[in-house]
DNA sequence: GCCGAAATTGAAAACAGTTTTCGTAATCCA
DNA sequence: TGGATTACGAAAACTGTTTTCAATTTCGGC
């Protein structure tokens, strides 16, 4: 029931498809194709999970060490604007990015002990939000739902939980 | 059905109760009572809504212009630590604080046009989250649910919505 | 291919919100 | 009331992100 999505290995075909979609976007906007942007997006799309700027830059530098933060930030903004990528913030002060294989919306459970992030989607939950909004005469554009807690099945997370109590949330 | 909470005028008795609770907290921690902290907390508890640090400092300065950012930040941390106040972040890059008359948990709807924030609580929604977590062997410590959108009943918000499309979310 | 306007890059500076430092002042218990 | 301890406030530091700016690259038209 309501399975947590497993993070897929990025599918090479899908990656190419996205690269093409981004190229389209760039062209439509009258922007230029550059070596750096190509490096950045192809690196990004081949990563999985919720990637921070620093993580991405580190990977990118392996392909081209001269690429700097500014270009990565700028390219991520373009990716978001293109709709191919979503920005997330889970309260650790870093922006994280995910470019999902499927465009589906989903929500997150974040383990405060091991940092693992589970993704889930539940239609009843979504519908309930809609109906609550409706009742208050509110029109939802988007929402965010994050459950913070601990993995129950990992001894490590349960062990740590007992001493460190609830890890403080920074930002 | 599932009423949006109206922001109450802070009740003078409740405010005094909280001031006392904070004094207790300070004492239990072996900290000292200071004029500045008293000014800050009594100002804070008499405000309503989701207060930013700058907003609070502005108010505080009316009582004592010599109080600075550092002390306000430090006092807010203590308030959060005491459990009397919660920190919120709605994606505009500012921390906001609320000290609720009732300790109840609640979630938020945020109008991206006029900035108004509605609070709501729905037991079915909460229960559904629990059961989803259960299914994934996840233990929830806390969660955050925010619905971003627009007031349906304010012409201004509907008007603006049509041109500015969805306001971008900064942080 | 070459020109040149327009876009892009990268290093460094700027920014914004928040935290820390550090010298001075206030608190409060023995 | 002495004096160890805690707090204050201004300014500096910090962090993640954005902007600036001079130099480089792109690309449509010749
Ligand atoms: Mn995700
Ligand atoms: Mn609230
Ligand atoms: Zn959802
Ligand atoms: Zn809730």
């Amino acid at each position: 029931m309501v399975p947590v999505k497993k993070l897929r290995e990025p599918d090479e075909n899908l990656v190419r498809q996205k690269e093409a979609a981004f190229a389209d976007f760039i062209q439509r906007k009258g922007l230029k194709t550059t070596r750096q942007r190509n490096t950045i997006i192809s690196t990004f799309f081949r990563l999985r999970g919720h990637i921070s700027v620093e993580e991405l830059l580190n990977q990118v530098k392996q392909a081209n060490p001269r690429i700097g933060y500014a270009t990565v930030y700028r390219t991520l903004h373009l990716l978001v604007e293109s709709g191919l990528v979503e920005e997330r913030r889970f309260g650790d002060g870093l922006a994280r990015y995910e470019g999902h294989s499927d465009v589906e919306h989903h929500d997150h459970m974040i383990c405060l002990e091991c940092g693992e992030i589970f993704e889930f989607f539940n239609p009843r939950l979504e519908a309930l939000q809609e109906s609550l909004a409706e009742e208050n005469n509110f029109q939802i554009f988007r929402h965010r739902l994050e459950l913070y807690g601990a993995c129950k099945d990992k001894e490590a997370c349960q062990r740590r939980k007992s001493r460190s109590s609830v890890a403080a949330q920074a930002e």
Side-chain angles (χ1 to χ4, degrees), chain A residues 5 7 49-50 86 88 90 97-100 104-108 117-120:
Chain A
K5 277 196 227 153
L7 284 176
H50 304 84
E86 277 190 82
R88 307 278 185 188
F90 296 130
Y97 297 85
E98 62 176 332
H100 261 274
E104 295 172 34
H105 157 78
H106 61 264
D107 299 304
H108 297 88
I117 297 176
F118 305 93
E119 307 186 329
F120 68 94

Side-chain angles (χ1 to χ4, degrees), chain A residues 92-123:
Chain A
D92 63 353
L94 299 183
R96 294 179 176 278
Y97 297 85
E98 62 176 332
H100 261 274
S101 6
D102 37 72
V103 193
E104 295 172 34
H105 157 78
H106 61 264
D107 299 304
H108 297 88
M109 303 184 198
I110 298 106
C111 178
L112 295 171
E113 300 304 333
C114 70
E116 188 154 349
I117 297 176
F118 305 93
E119 307 186 329
F120 68 94
F121 174 79
N122 181 276

Side-chain angles (χ1 to χ4, degrees), chain A residues 50-95:
Chain A
H50 304 84
I51 310 294
S52 71
V53 177
E54 187 177 9
E55 283 164 0
L56 178 55
L57 180 62
N58 287 341
Q59 292 299 313
V60 161
K61 274 191 181 301
Q62 282 172 229
N64 178 353
R66 310 210 37 218
I67 294 179
Y69 268 105
T71 305
V72 169
Y73 272 107
R74 288 187 281 229
T75 304
L76 282 168
H77 292 331
L78 289 171
L79 282 167
V80 169
E81 194 189 340
S82 77
L84 291 165
V85 164
E86 277 190 82
E87 183 179 314
R88 307 278 185 188
R89 283 170 189 275
F90 296 130
D92 63 353
L94 299 183

